[in-house]
Amino acid sequence: MNWDQILGRWTEFKGKLIERFGELTDDEIEQARGDREQLEGIIQKKYGDSKENVREIVDRLMKDM
C-alpha cells in the first residue's frame, strides 16, 4: 500500500500507529496527517529511534494494511 492509499484509510492507520507506538497521542498523529516525514520525525523524537528504523516500522505497518 502506498502513502496515498494510507491517507484514504487514515483512521485505520492511526489505530495501527497507536497499537505500535502507544506513547503517541492522537494530537501528535493528527498533527502529521498527510506528511509521512513529519510523522516519522515525531516518532523518532518521541522514541529516540533512528530515522531508518522508524521508516522500516512505518513501511511494515503500511504493508499490513
Side-chain angles (χ1 to χ4, degrees):
M1 192 168 272
N2 67 37
W3 190 250
D4 289 331
Q5 292 169 314
I6 291 298
L7 292 177
R9 296 172 65 184
W10 186 251
T11 302
E12 185 180 347
F13 190 63
K14 270 180 28 177
K16 296 257 185 218
L17 288 169
I18 291 170
E19 281 178 22
R20 175 58 179 86
F21 300 104
E23 292 180 24
L24 283 180
T25 66
D26 192 56
D27 287 343
E28 289 171 324
I29 295 170
E30 280 303 315
Q31 174 187 349
R33 183 181 187 136
D35 188 335
R36 179 179 177 161
E37 293 209 10
Q38 186 176 4
L39 174 66
E40 291 173 353
I42 290 168
I43 294 169
Q44 184 180 2
K45 182 178 176 183
K46 190 142 196 167
Y47 285 86
D49 228 340
S50 72
K51 184 175 184 174
E52 294 79 19
N53 191 45
V54 170
R55 179 160 286 265
E56 287 175 20
I57 293 168
V58 171
D59 283 343
R60 271 187 260 129
L61 291 173
M62 289 172 57
K63 194 178 217 180
D64 290 344
M65 290 284 294

